[in-house]
Amino acid sequence: MLPFRHRRGLSAEDHAARYLKKQGWRLLGQRVRTATGSDIDILAVDGNALVFVEVRSKQAESLISAEASIRHKKQKSMRANVRFILRKRRVAILRPRIDVIAVDMEGDRIIMLRHHRAALPWDSPSRRDSNADVHTYSTYVHMDTL
C-alpha cells in the first residue's frame, strides 16, 4: 500500500484532471515521465496553449500553502520539462504555459482547489519580459460546487 502522502498526491492529480476536463481542456497525459528524470503531473491543451500543470496538495491545517511548496529546484525542473517537450514534440503552434493547481485536503477529502494560470514563466526568470503578454490569474473552486 502506498504511503498516505503519495495517495493524497495521486488523488489531488486525479481531481485536478477532472476539473480541467470539465473546463473543456484536452488532456494529453497524466504523470508524464520525461528524460529529465521528473514527471509532468498533467499535460494538456487549453485553446492555443500547451499547458504543463503542476499539482500540489496539502492538508488544510498545514502551516505552508501548497503553492509555497514549489521551491526553486522544482521550478527549474518544470522549466527543463517544458524545454524537453518543446524540442521533442515540435509543437510550435501552441504557446507553452505553466499552471499550478493547489489542492487543500482534510484527510482524504478535497475541500478547495485553486487554479493559477501562467503561474511561472516557462523560460528562465531573467527572460520573463518575453512573456509580458501572459497574465496570471487564478480560479478558486470549493469542491462541493463541482
Side-chain angles (χ1 to χ4, degrees):
M1 182 173 213
L2 295 172
F4 173 74
R5 184 175 171 187
H6 190 74
R7 286 194 323 268
R8 180 185 68 205
L10 295 175
S11 175
E13 287 176 18
D14 291 341
H15 275 81
R18 284 195 295 277
Y19 163 77
L20 294 174
K21 284 181 188 176
K22 285 183 180 180
Q23 302 304 309
W25 290 32
R26 184 166 57 106
L27 270 58
L28 302 177
Q30 254 185 279
R31 301 175 195 106
V32 178
R33 193 80 164 149
T34 68
T36 64
S38 61
D39 290 341
I40 299 166
D41 293 339
I42 300 172
L43 185 60
V45 175
D46 173 31
N48 68 344
L50 178 63
V51 188
F52 300 76
V53 182
E54 175 66 17
V55 179
R56 286 295 174 119
S57 63
K58 287 284 185 179
Q59 289 296 349
E61 66 274 3
S62 178
L63 297 176
I64 185 171
S65 71
E67 295 90 341
S69 71
I70 304 174
R71 305 280 190 215
H72 177 74
K73 183 178 177 182
K74 180 62 180 179
Q75 292 177 28
K76 188 176 176 180
S77 166
M78 291 165 65
R79 288 186 186 101
N81 284 338
V82 172
R83 289 189 299 272
F84 173 79
I85 294 293
L86 292 178
R87 277 193 309 271
K88 183 178 177 187
R89 304 285 172 129
R90 299 178 191 186
V91 287
I93 58 171
L94 297 174
R95 292 181 53 104
R97 189 174 85 207
I98 298 176
D99 288 9
V100 171
I101 293 183
V103 179
D104 291 340
M105 302 180 79
E106 284 181 353
D108 289 334
R109 192 171 71 91
I110 294 179
I111 58 170
M112 173 74 84
L113 180 146
R114 293 179 301 284
H115 181 187
H116 305 282
R117 291 167 180 83
L120 298 169
W122 67 270
D123 54 0
S124 68
S126 62
R127 293 177 41 203
R128 187 174 190 126
D129 291 340
S130 66
N131 288 338
D133 60 334
V134 176
H135 302 283
T136 301
Y137 57 100
S138 303
T139 303
Y140 294 77
V141 180
H142 286 278
M143 293 312 293
D144 55 357
T145 62
L146 286 178

Short mmCIF file of all heavy atoms in Angstrom, two decimals, residues 27 33 52 54 70 76 83 92 97 109-110 131-132 137:
data_model
loop_
_atom_site.label_atom_id
_atom_site.label_comp_id
_atom_site.label_asym_id
_atom_site.label_seq_id
_atom_site.Cartn_x
_atom_site.Cartn_y
_atom_site.Cartn_z
N LEU A 27 -6.87 16.78 -22.38
CA LEU A 27 -5.74 16.21 -21.63
C LEU A 27 -4.91 15.31 -22.54
O LEU A 27 -5.46 14.43 -23.19
CB LEU A 27 -6.23 15.43 -20.42
CG LEU A 27 -6.38 16.24 -19.13
CD1 LEU A 27 -7.31 17.41 -19.29
CD2 LEU A 27 -6.78 15.37 -17.99
N ARG A 33 6.35 10.99 -17.75
CA ARG A 33 7.76 10.87 -17.39
C ARG A 33 8.60 11.45 -18.51
O ARG A 33 8.37 11.15 -19.68
CB ARG A 33 8.10 9.40 -17.17
CG ARG A 33 9.42 9.18 -16.52
CD ARG A 33 9.22 9.39 -15.05
NE ARG A 33 10.33 8.85 -14.31
CZ ARG A 33 10.73 9.38 -13.18
NH1 ARG A 33 10.13 10.40 -12.69
NH2 ARG A 33 11.72 8.85 -12.53
N PHE A 52 1.53 22.87 -19.04
CA PHE A 52 2.21 21.97 -18.13
C PHE A 52 1.67 22.29 -16.74
O PHE A 52 1.89 23.40 -16.24
CB PHE A 52 3.72 22.20 -18.19
CG PHE A 52 4.30 21.98 -19.55
CD1 PHE A 52 4.15 22.91 -20.57
CD2 PHE A 52 5.00 20.81 -19.83
CE1 PHE A 52 4.69 22.70 -21.83
CE2 PHE A 52 5.55 20.59 -21.09
CZ PHE A 52 5.38 21.53 -22.09
N GLU A 54 1.39 21.66 -12.76
CA GLU A 54 1.96 21.11 -11.53
C GLU A 54 0.84 21.10 -10.50
O GLU A 54 0.21 22.13 -10.24
CB GLU A 54 3.13 21.96 -11.03
CG GLU A 54 3.70 21.55 -9.71
CD GLU A 54 4.38 20.19 -9.72
OE1 GLU A 54 4.72 19.66 -10.82
OE2 GLU A 54 4.60 19.64 -8.62
N ILE A 70 6.38 24.90 -3.82
CA ILE A 70 7.10 24.77 -5.10
C ILE A 70 8.37 25.60 -5.00
O ILE A 70 8.38 26.80 -5.26
CB ILE A 70 6.23 25.21 -6.29
CG1 ILE A 70 4.94 24.41 -6.32
CG2 ILE A 70 7.00 25.04 -7.60
CD1 ILE A 70 3.95 24.87 -7.37
N LYS A 76 12.88 24.97 -11.50
CA LYS A 76 13.92 24.71 -12.50
C LYS A 76 13.63 23.42 -13.25
O LYS A 76 13.74 23.35 -14.48
CB LYS A 76 15.28 24.64 -11.80
CG LYS A 76 16.46 24.56 -12.71
CD LYS A 76 17.74 24.61 -11.89
CE LYS A 76 18.94 24.43 -12.79
NZ LYS A 76 20.19 24.45 -12.05
N ARG A 83 11.10 22.72 -21.83
CA ARG A 83 12.07 22.77 -22.94
C ARG A 83 12.23 21.41 -23.60
O ARG A 83 12.30 21.30 -24.82
CB ARG A 83 13.41 23.31 -22.44
CG ARG A 83 13.37 24.80 -22.13
CD ARG A 83 14.75 25.36 -21.84
NE ARG A 83 15.39 24.74 -20.69
CZ ARG A 83 15.24 25.16 -19.44
NH1 ARG A 83 14.48 26.19 -19.16
NH2 ARG A 83 15.86 24.55 -18.44
N ALA A 92 5.27 24.03 -32.18
CA ALA A 92 5.47 25.47 -32.31
C ALA A 92 4.16 26.24 -32.40
O ALA A 92 4.12 27.42 -32.07
CB ALA A 92 6.34 25.76 -33.53
N ARG A 97 2.83 27.09 -21.48
CA ARG A 97 2.40 27.78 -20.27
C ARG A 97 2.53 26.82 -19.09
O ARG A 97 2.29 25.62 -19.25
CB ARG A 97 0.94 28.22 -20.44
CG ARG A 97 0.44 29.14 -19.35
CD ARG A 97 -0.96 29.64 -19.65
NE ARG A 97 -1.94 28.66 -19.19
CZ ARG A 97 -3.14 28.51 -19.70
NH1 ARG A 97 -3.54 29.24 -20.73
NH2 ARG A 97 -3.97 27.61 -19.21
N ARG A 109 -10.40 13.87 1.97
CA ARG A 109 -11.42 14.69 1.31
C ARG A 109 -10.81 16.00 0.80
O ARG A 109 -10.13 16.72 1.54
CB ARG A 109 -12.54 14.98 2.31
CG ARG A 109 -13.77 15.58 1.70
CD ARG A 109 -14.89 15.61 2.72
NE ARG A 109 -14.64 16.60 3.76
CZ ARG A 109 -15.06 17.87 3.70
NH1 ARG A 109 -15.73 18.30 2.66
NH2 ARG A 109 -14.80 18.70 4.69
N ILE A 110 -11.09 16.32 -0.45
CA ILE A 110 -10.62 17.57 -1.05
C ILE A 110 -11.64 18.66 -0.75
O ILE A 110 -12.83 18.49 -1.01
CB ILE A 110 -10.40 17.41 -2.56
CG1 ILE A 110 -9.26 16.42 -2.77
CG2 ILE A 110 -10.12 18.74 -3.21
CD1 ILE A 110 -8.93 16.12 -4.20
N ASN A 131 7.50 37.06 -21.78
CA ASN A 131 6.14 36.56 -21.53
C ASN A 131 5.23 37.69 -21.07
O ASN A 131 4.23 37.47 -20.42
CB ASN A 131 6.16 35.47 -20.45
CG ASN A 131 6.78 34.20 -20.95
OD1 ASN A 131 6.82 33.97 -22.15
ND2 ASN A 131 7.25 33.37 -20.04
N ALA A 132 5.56 38.92 -21.42
CA ALA A 132 4.83 40.07 -20.91
C ALA A 132 3.35 40.04 -21.27
O ALA A 132 2.54 40.61 -20.55
CB ALA A 132 5.47 41.36 -21.43
N TYR A 137 -3.73 34.67 -13.66
CA TYR A 137 -4.99 34.83 -12.95
C TYR A 137 -5.36 33.50 -12.34
O TYR A 137 -4.91 32.46 -12.76
CB TYR A 137 -6.11 35.37 -13.85
CG TYR A 137 -6.41 34.56 -15.07
CD1 TYR A 137 -7.50 33.69 -15.09
CD2 TYR A 137 -5.63 34.66 -16.21
CE1 TYR A 137 -7.79 32.94 -16.22
CE2 TYR A 137 -5.92 33.93 -17.34
CZ TYR A 137 -7.00 33.06 -17.34
OH TYR A 137 -7.28 32.33 -18.46
#
